[in-house]
Amino acid sequence: MAPESPAPPHLHPPAAPARRLLPLVLPAIAVGISCALILLGVSLLAERFQDVLWETLPDALGVGRFSSLWMIAMLTATGLAVGLVLRTVPGHGGPDPATTGLVDAPMRPGVVPGLLLVTVLALAGGVSLGPENPITAANVALAYWLGRRAAPGAPAELWVALAAAGTIGALFGTPIAAALILSETLASQPGPGAFWDRLFAPLAAGTAGALTMSLIAEPSFDLSLPAYSGPHWGDLLSALLIASAGALLGMVVVYAFPVAHRAFRALRYPVLTLTAGGLVLGLLGALGGHLTLFKGLEEVKEITADPDGWSAGEFAVMAVVKAAALVVAATCGFRGGRIFPAVFVGVALGLCAHALVDAVPPTLAVSCAVLGVLLAVSRQGWLSLFTAAVLAGDASVLPMLCAATLPAWLLVTGRAQMLLDGEGEALR
């Protein structure tokens, strides 16, 4: 009797999902912890250097820490320093930052040291960009390079997802942010297993990154805004209008993006471009005040600590100046992210709305304005809604935020993005 022939491969039952997912836990945790430690190290180094540049040095020279002269000189010097570093380091800090988003294809690991160095210089020097884009790019590059060598049989995209989730989880201090951001990508990608199976390992990495950062640095996005008293019919109209205004201001930033990029690229030489960009940022800082410098997270807490401490006109100037600084910094060659500066723009716009109409609750105004600006700048719906809700710190504002998302999204969907292709044209 002839032996039975083996069943065709497609008839073999697939491995149980748990057996496929369990081996990913330890690599995910290791990647998440490493991403958080790199973020923490870069942030601490930038903070120490910032203290030297903006406190120790001006005090020693007898110059006002945030005088117009010092802001202009410091931002111009930062642009020159970043330009010289990018000119000399291997890989020149990676591709043009105007053509990259929060999560992109892995770069060569040799580019990472130079990228991290210019990130520290920009953060310390007062450039209006956050750490999220370059830190994510560095972590993705390292995780991809090491992961492909440690486990060559694992899918290449796994290491990108783990590093991105670990970094985003550490940035926001919660894995929910990473899960929401990656869900928009994973939902549109074909792949084996259920959606939550594909999200399992990134969620583990995001949790490890968030816990590591929380245990060491205790990050907080609490703006200490007044408690929201609950939804009212008048609040609904306010939410729709303020979120739409935020989206419109964000779209001004988006449409100015390629124009500013072309203007800076006309200077041809990166060192000259970055020096000119730093000079413009210094002039903007002198116009808007020192609160419009840096990534904006600590400055946001300062202006929300006293919502009535500035006039509507002063808040409007802060919002416009910060928006202009974001455009300049992101197009002249500085490496950095756009989320945190965009949050400052939204917070200043929301406080402006509250100052104009005192009946509008500041918590509602701030969260809706941040929602609108982030929808335009990031084009990430979950990220925008999550950030606005976290800043509000009050679950009762969520129905208003969900309603405000609808008109704001209609204003931005299908339009140009704050991202350029290789020809310098905005993507859609």
Side-chain angles (χ1 to χ4, degrees):
M1 186 173 181
E4 287 188 15
S5 31
H10 67 277
L11 295 182
H12 285 298
R19 294 182 62 184
R20 289 189 290 106
L21 297 178
L22 278 176
L24 300 178
V25 173
L26 288 180
I29 292 174
V31 170
I33 293 174
S34 301
C35 290
L37 292 176
I38 291 174
L39 170 63
L40 184 61
V42 170
S43 299
L44 290 176
L45 183 58
E47 288 174 8
R48 298 296 180 269
F49 193 32
Q50 177 181 325
D51 291 342
V52 172
L53 295 179
W54 294 94
E55 295 180 12
T56 307
L57 191 55
D59 288 351
L61 296 174
V63 180
R65 292 181 177 181
F66 291 107
S67 65
S68 296
L69 177 62
W70 188 252
M71 286 190 284
I72 294 170
M74 185 52 57
L75 267 300
T76 304
T78 298
L80 175 61
V82 170
L84 291 174
V85 171
L86 289 176
R87 180 180 177 182
T88 56
V89 296
H92 307 293
D96 183 349
T99 65
T100 60
L102 182 58
V103 182
D104 288 297
M107 61 179 64
R108 293 183 294 106
V111 179
V112 171
L115 176 61
L116 294 181
L117 176 56
V118 296
T119 300
V120 169
L121 292 175
L123 290 172
V127 175
S128 291
L129 292 173
E132 59 272 19
N133 285 27
I135 299 297
T136 302
N139 285 337
V140 165
L142 294 175
Y144 181 83
W145 182 71
L146 292 172
R148 294 290 285 168
R149 280 152 182 76
E157 60 271 16
L158 170 67
W159 305 108
V160 176
L162 294 183
T167 308
I168 296 168
L171 276 165
F172 288 92
T174 170
I176 301 300
L180 290 174
I181 292 173
L182 290 177
S183 69
E184 297 194 32
T185 303
L186 295 176
S188 61
Q189 290 181 350
F195 170 76
W196 274 97
D197 285 350
R198 287 181 281 156
L199 193 60
F200 178 83
L203 185 58
T207 301
L211 286 175
T212 301
M213 183 63 72
S214 298
L215 291 172
I216 296 176
E218 299 181 359
S220 173
F221 290 87
D222 182 16
L223 299 184
S224 301
L225 290 166
Y228 180 55
S229 60
H232 303 284
W233 287 113
D235 290 349
L236 177 59
L237 177 60
S238 299
L240 299 178
L241 292 176
I242 293 172
S244 298
L248 289 174
L249 178 57
M251 289 308 300
V252 172
V253 170
V254 171
Y255 280 106
F257 192 68
V259 177
H261 185 264
R262 286 192 292 270
F264 281 115
R265 287 300 170 268
L267 298 177
R268 298 181 58 187
Y269 301 102
V271 176
L272 179 59
T273 300
L274 279 154
T275 304
L279 173 60
V280 176
L281 290 176
L283 293 171
L284 287 171
L287 175 63
H290 73 277
L291 292 176
T292 60
L293 301 180
F294 305 103
K295 64 183 179 183
L297 185 57
E298 295 304 317
E299 290 71 24
V300 156
K301 294 178 181 179
E302 186 170 342
I303 62 174
T304 54
D306 184 13
D308 300 316
W310 289 267
S311 67
E314 288 171 324
F315 281 128
V317 169
M318 289 184 196
V320 172
V321 168
K322 190 68 172 182
L326 171 57
V327 172
V328 171
T331 54
C332 71
F334 285 110
R335 271 56 176 173
R338 302 153 195 171
I339 295 174
F340 292 111
V343 166
F344 183 97
V345 173
V347 170
L349 179 64
L351 292 176
C352 174
H354 168 68
L356 285 173
V357 183
D358 186 64
V360 177
T363 300
L364 179 70
V366 165
S367 57
C368 289
V370 168
L371 172 68
V373 174
L374 280 179
L375 281 174
V377 170
S378 72
R379 217 56 59 90
Q380 292 265 359
W382 284 125
L383 168 67
S384 305
L385 190 58
F386 169 81
T387 305
V390 167
L391 293 177
D394 191 335
S396 62
V397 81
L398 275 173
M400 291 297 178
L401 288 176
C402 291
T405 301
L406 303 178
W409 184 254
L410 290 176
L411 289 172
V412 304
T413 185
R415 302 188 186 278
Q417 299 185 42
M418 198 173 177
L419 190 64
L420 306 182
D421 59 19
E423 303 300 321
E425 298 298 324
L427 298 177
R428 291 183 178 271

